[in-house]
Amino acid sequence: MIPIECPKCGRGGSVPPDRLNARLVCKACHTVFHLDNTGRMVLGEPESFDMKTNKSRADEVSSLADFDLAQTWNDIPAAMKYGVPGVLLAVILYLNFGSMISSGKAEHENRAEAILKSVISNNKSKFVAFATPDSAESAESLFDLLHGDVEKGQFGSDALISPQLFNGAPEKDSDLTMLVVVSKNGGTEGPMTVTIPLKKGSSGDWLLDATSALTAAQSAATPKKK
Ligand SMILES: [Zn+2]
């Protein structure tokens, strides 16, 4: 959130960084103002107040990386303080949320990808660190098994890793099952699919449940050996 002050009466508040060039109205004195592309407060109407221009501002928004982009729904009431066209603002927020969600990967997806990357880069200690404390031992065996498959399939650092949610709801469940497809860059030949069960750790991180993963990997490996 960007902390702002009404340029006329000085009343304080904050707006999400994607409110650049959006029309803001002070609740105290009803002064119309806006944040320009550089994040400066300017009295009066924004140059263009429509969703089309609001959407094509990826550049300006990313130049504001210092600000907290990880805005949550809980922050919306604060933004509403200055957002008199409340319904419209909510619509814009929703649209921006939509694009944020589809452009960035969720935490559980990032974690599943990082787990596979540690296998491909042959970093066993990193892999084990991703596992729940009580499954660390299984994590070592699992790593050896997966790394064997990675070597057999000759997956390198340019392999494409696509994590998919297979089971569970990341927002409410503490257990998820991810299916991660690892394929060679530029080819569909011999992709490997790895089941990655994740458990929410005490710090809210997604951790690898290596005991379940090892069981799944062993049962998946068995038919291949015939
Ligand atoms: Zn004011």
Side-chain angles (χ1 to χ4, degrees), residues 67-141:
F67 294 103
D68 183 12
L69 282 164
Q71 143 204 16
T72 67
W73 281 110
N74 296 339
D75 290 331
I76 291 174
M80 290 291 189
K81 273 190 210 164
Y82 285 91
V84 165
V87 175
L88 186 53
L89 182 61
V91 169
I92 296 170
L93 278 173
Y94 180 76
L95 289 175
N96 284 335
F97 257 105
S99 62
M100 277 166 81
I101 288 166
S102 58
S103 63
K105 272 187 187 157
E107 254 174 78
H108 58 283
E109 293 172 327
N110 282 330
R111 180 47 57 92
E113 189 174 334
I115 289 169
L116 262 297
K117 274 190 177 152
S118 71
V119 177
I120 291 169
S121 62
N122 199 11
N123 191 336
K124 193 172 187 170
S125 57
K126 191 173 181 187
F127 180 85
V128 173
F130 283 133
T132 60
D134 61 323
S135 72
E137 215 172 294
S138 304
E140 302 222 352
S141 317

Side-chain angles (χ1 to χ4, degrees), residues 6 8-11 26-31:
C6 169
K8 198 170 184 192
C9 73
R11 182 177 160 144
C26 173
K27 226 177 182 178
C29 70
H30 302 109
T31 295

Side-chain angles (χ1 to χ4, degrees), residues 177-201:
T177 307
M178 304 291 297
L179 280 185
V180 185
V181 178
V182 182
S183 48
K184 270 178 223 171
N185 203 351
T188 51
E189 197 193 328
M192 81 183 224
T193 305
V194 186
T195 306
I196 299 288
L198 295 175
K199 260 189 198 308
K200 200 157 231 176

